Every structure is written in structure tokens, then in C-alpha cells.
Amino acid sequence: MTGVITTVYFVRHADSPYSAERERERGLSAAGEEAARRAALLLEDEGIGFLVSSPYRRAVLTLQPLADRLGLPIAVEEDLRERKLSAEPLFPTREAFFEAKRSLFADPQLRYPGGESSEEARQRGTAVLRGLLLRYRGSRLALGTHGDIMTLMLGAWDSAYGFRFWQSTSMPDIYKAEFMEDAAGPRLHAVTRLWRGPGA
């Protein structure tokens, strides 16, 4: 079947107080909770029929107001988790953190100790996304996600999605991506930024 469009709403999580020791468990700040409610209002009339999320609590909580409005469950996919930068906090300043990110996007094979390369994270995230595009062919689904893994998944279809795109994203952020199926499989047909949240 060709010409079928499957729409994925990439919902990057809202503001979350940083804690390196609680990467999976940390939730949303008060501002993040309010932004998640606003995101739900924006998306509730988009015809979304399925909700899928990273296992990280901040991603699930960002989708929860939308789930409540639509009366839908949130399916969790472990391999949609954020890319692990390193086993230990090796980059103590904002400048060092951004330079580490720049280097990872520039060299897909680069891996910091205990972390993941861009290629490794892209492969696992894209495998899940391709499965979702097959499972929910012709539907609309919202994906609770993170800055790195969202950029890497989109970059699997279009190399323009790299460090500069990641740097421009906010928390939360919402991108509507339309994938059109042809004989070679799904191709990225169009991407529209629906809303830029308040947090960088």
C-alpha cells in the first residue's frame, strides 16, 4: 500500500529539574506541568489515536494531560529513552555540555565512557519508530520524547536534523511529522513545528 500518510507528533518533554542521579525518575517542574497542560490543549483536536512514550517519567508526564483529555493509555517503549551521554557527569559547565553534544552529533561513532554514540542511539530509536509507523499505518500518534533521540530519529530520514536543530529545541516542543509510505518504505514527507515551549 502506497501513498498512506502516518502522522507522528513528536512531543519533547516539558521542563524538568535536572538530576544526573535520577535520569529516569525525575518529573516536571511547576512550569513544566503547566506547559504540559497547554500542550494537551493544542493537540486534543488533532485526531490523535495513540500515545507512545519514552520510559522516562518526564516524558510520560508531559503526555499525561493529553492522555487524560483523550481517554487514551500511554504505551511505553524502552528503546525510546534518551541517549545516555556518559556514565559519569563529565561535563560540569553548560559550555562543556554543549561542546560534548556538538562533538557527538559531528561524529556518529563517538562515544564517551559509559555513554552511547549517535549511531547507536539512532539505530535503537529508529527501529522503534519504524515499527510504530507499520503498526499505526495511516493513523496519528503522539510520541513522548527527548531532544537527542528525537533529533537522531528525524536525522535518520533527513541529515538536516543535527546539532543545530537540537540546540534550537525547547522544553516542551512539538513537531508534526508526516511520513508517506511508498514502495521503499516510509519517507519523511513534511515536518511542521506546532508550538515552541518556554524552556530552552
Side-chain angles (χ1 to χ4, degrees), residues 23-40:
E23 179 67 359
R24 294 180 70 97
E25 294 83 22
R26 59 187 171 97
L28 302 180
S29 65
E33 291 174 354
E34 175 59 27
R37 289 190 287 270
R38 290 175 58 198

Side-chain angles (χ1 to χ4, degrees), residues 2 4 20 32 42 45 60 69 107 115 125 127 141-142 145 150 189 196:
T2 60
V4 174
L42 180 84
D45 294 326
V60 174
R69 284 185 168 274
D107 181 355
L141 61 141
T145 189
M150 174 178 71
H189 175 66
R196 178 183 172 88

Side-chain angles (χ1 to χ4, degrees), residues 45 81 88 125 175 188 190 195:
D45 294 326
R81 66 189 179 277
E88 302 294 335
Y175 291 86
L188 188 57
W195 184 52

Side-chain angles (χ1 to χ4, degrees), residues 64-110:
Q64 192 60 56
L66 179 62
D68 293 342
R69 284 185 168 274
L70 298 179
L72 294 174
I74 300 173
V76 170
E77 289 281 354
E78 176 64 29
D79 280 346
L80 290 179
R81 66 189 179 277
E82 179 61 305
R83 179 243 295 276
K84 187 174 184 179
L85 188 61
S86 60
E88 302 294 335
L90 302 178
F91 312 102
T93 67
R94 185 176 176 84
E95 292 74 18
F97 176 77
F98 272 79
E99 282 308 309
K101 292 280 192 175
R102 188 193 306 273
S103 297
L104 284 168
F105 280 107
D107 181 355
Q109 305 303 327
L110 176 64

Side-chain angles (χ1 to χ4, degrees), residues 88-190:
E88 302 294 335
L90 302 178
F91 312 102
T93 67
R94 185 176 176 84
E95 292 74 18
F97 176 77
F98 272 79
E99 282 308 309
K101 292 280 192 175
R102 188 193 306 273
S103 297
L104 284 168
F105 280 107
D107 181 355
Q109 305 303 327
L110 176 64
R111 183 196 303 109
Y112 294 112
E116 282 183 291
S117 70
S118 289
E119 186 57 30
E120 288 170 331
R122 176 184 290 115
Q123 286 185 10
R124 68 165 165 81
T126 303
V128 175
L129 181 54
R130 287 186 181 277
L132 294 173
L133 291 172
L134 181 63
R135 189 184 315 162
Y136 301 121
R137 179 189 286 120
S139 302
R140 293 172 178 245
L141 61 141
L143 205 64
T145 189
H146 308 268
D148 269 30
I149 196 67
M150 174 178 71
T151 302
L152 292 166
M153 286 189 290
L154 289 170
W157 275 271
D158 185 342
S159 61
Y161 293 94
F163 175 76
R164 289 182 183 275
F165 171 78
W166 171 83
Q167 195 174 31
S168 74
T169 59
S170 60
M171 292 184 283
D173 214 336
I174 302 175
Y175 291 86
K176 176 183 177 180
E178 296 173 278
F179 292 86
M180 181 175 285
E181 187 176 329
D182 59 25
R187 62 181 176 86
L188 188 57
H189 175 66

